[in-house]
DNA sequence: GCAAATGTGTTGGATAAACAACATAATCCA
DNA sequence: TGGATTATGTTGTTTATCCAACACATTTGC
């Protein structure tokens, strides 16, 4: 579904850049990482960086999207519908992702990260919803709302319930969530 | 001294190939490694492999040379003359290298490996000899003989003295070696 | 405060590397 | 054995990447 660029050089170069960036993120804060650092580490020319990304924020965005997408694909959302089990898996994928981020200091970019997570969630959720129903504009909105809900829950879990497991946190709520939606 | 190719693409591609080859060598025997394996792992086109290397044996040769050269540079031969200390360091560099090889199964290529080690040694030894003397054809021959001597000693150590340290093995002999050379 | 140094983003021309296609050689396995 | 599959090298064309140079912003340190 993401338009796959096939030229091996493009795949390889993007991988080198992303890997270098993730590697550097483990060593210093985002605001201390320069394009020069990344291209030196990746052994590519700086001009080549700009061939693939608008700037370092564009890279941040795409790198995070990709990492999150890998997490989500681990939940095999593509082959499943939106039942309780996949709902829990989605939630833990988000919390896992946020945990891995918190170890790599992206302070000051919470807004960006939040948007990335929500946007990806939205795509995944919509993909699942149209398996049970048909393609409707209303389902787009449902996906938007559920993505905000899941993201908000992950923030709440991190701030107030980090002592219990993400699974426990979300399982606890699901029955009430379903009934409250059914009522309306 | 090795003609340094400056284009970043060349450096990067060679590194990718060499790293992939060394990586694969840790997983399977040399005779089971195909060019396809290497290029797939390195994410480069097979034709590009042949742009840099004649064939897989050429790669074996250059990869081994490079690894050995790194070992030898660790001994800082460039800044030193041929005294007892550097002699011992050279010897341990060789035995270290052979040990690392024995963990990666290059069975059937002992001849190639032996030649690579001797040729590299010869270059390094000659570089040291002309610091104490001047550039003479005779010193080339001395370098040849010493390189054979050191290599032969490393084989003997591996076969018959592996229970003692390389340092002990070679230190033990150096006094006799020097006097026997002085006599003649 | 102001140089000097370092980083950003862009360009045009040169070149390494991808791709696709081919012929041939080695390997597999029924 | 023999046919199928897989690996080896090679080639012409296309394209991604390099390089060098540029103008401009940001940071650094005296």
């Amino acid at each position: 579904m993401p338009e796959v660029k096939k030229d091996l050089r493009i795949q390889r170069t993007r991988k080198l850049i992303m890997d270098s960036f993730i590697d550097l993120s483990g060593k210093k804060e985002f605001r201390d990482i320069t394009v020069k650092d990344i291209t030196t580490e990746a052994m590519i020319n700086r001009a080549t960086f700009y061939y693939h990304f608008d700037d370092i924020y564009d890279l941040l965005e795409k790198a995070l999207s990709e990492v999150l997408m890998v997490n989500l694909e681990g939940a095999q959302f593509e082959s499943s519908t939106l039942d309780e089990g996949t709902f829990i898996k989605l939630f833990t994928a988000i919390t896992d992702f946020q945990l891995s981020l918190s170890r790599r200091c992206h302070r000051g970019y919470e807004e960006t990260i939040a948007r990335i997570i929500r946007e990806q969630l939205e795509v995944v959720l919509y993909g699942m919803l149209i398996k049970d129903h048909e393609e409707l504009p209303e389902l787009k909105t449902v996906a938007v709302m559920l993505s905000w809900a899941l993201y908000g829950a992950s923030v709440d879990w991190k701030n107030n319930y980090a002592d219990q497991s993400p699974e426990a946190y979300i399982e606890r709520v699901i029955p009430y969530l379903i009934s409250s939606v059914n009522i309306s």
Side-chain angles (χ1 to χ4, degrees), chain A:
Chain A
M1 37 201 91
E3 74 301 359
V4 177
K5 289 287 180 295
K6 50 193 184 325
D7 190 311
L8 195 48
R9 285 171 293 189
I10 291 181
Q11 298 178 40
R12 186 184 58 227
T13 299
R14 293 209 171 137
K15 177 167 159 49
L16 286 171
I17 292 175
M18 296 243 185
D19 287 352
S20 299
F21 175 61
I22 290 171
D23 198 45
L24 284 170
S25 298
K27 295 177 187 154
K28 46 165 108 173
E29 302 227 4
F30 176 72
R31 63 163 170 276
D32 294 331
I33 297 173
T34 70
V35 174
K36 190 106 212 350
D37 291 337
I38 297 166
T39 57
T40 302
E41 171 91 11
M43 289 185 81
I44 59 143
N45 192 278
R46 207 162 51 83
T48 306
F49 177 94
Y50 292 104
Y51 182 88
H52 293 279
F53 303 97
D54 297 334
D55 51 35
I56 201 172
Y57 303 99
D58 187 38
L59 169 62
L60 173 67
E61 199 152 319
K62 287 173 174 157
L64 292 181
S65 295
E66 187 145 313
V67 174
L68 175 59
M69 195 47 93
V70 169
N71 277 19
L72 290 176
E73 276 165 0
Q76 309 218 314
F77 64 86
E78 283 166 330
S79 58
S80 42
T81 57
L82 189 52
D83 56 17
E84 177 167 338
T86 53
F87 205 79
I88 294 172
K89 279 182 189 156
L90 279 178
F91 184 72
T92 55
I94 301 165
T95 53
D96 284 353
F97 177 66
Q98 297 227 39
L99 271 185
S100 74
L101 279 189
S102 67
R103 288 188 213 103
R104 354 190 130 254
C105 302
H106 288 286
R107 282 202 296 271
Y109 296 91
E110 288 81 4
E111 297 304 311
T112 305
I113 293 167
R115 183 173 46 73
I116 290 168
I117 294 178
R118 273 190 281 101
E119 286 172 357
Q120 295 273 15
L121 269 180
E122 191 184 316
V123 171
V124 171
L125 286 165
Y126 183 66
M128 291 169 135
L129 285 169
I130 60 175
K131 281 190 192 127
D132 288 329
H133 310 71
E134 45 192 322
E135 291 200 35
L136 290 172
E138 289 80 3
L139 288 180
K140 280 268 184 205
T141 305
V142 172
V144 167
M145 295 175 70
L146 285 177
S147 73
W148 279 86
L150 274 171
Y151 177 75
S154 79
V155 172
D156 181 52
W157 170 78
K158 191 171 58 179
N159 291 338
N160 303 317
Y161 297 86
D163 53 325
Q164 59 183 272
S165 76
E167 291 86 349
Y169 171 85
I170 199 69
E171 271 177 16
R172 189 179 55 102
V173 185
I174 288 181
Y176 299 97
L177 186 68
I178 290 176
S179 66
S180 75
V181 171
N182 281 348
I183 288 170
S184 67

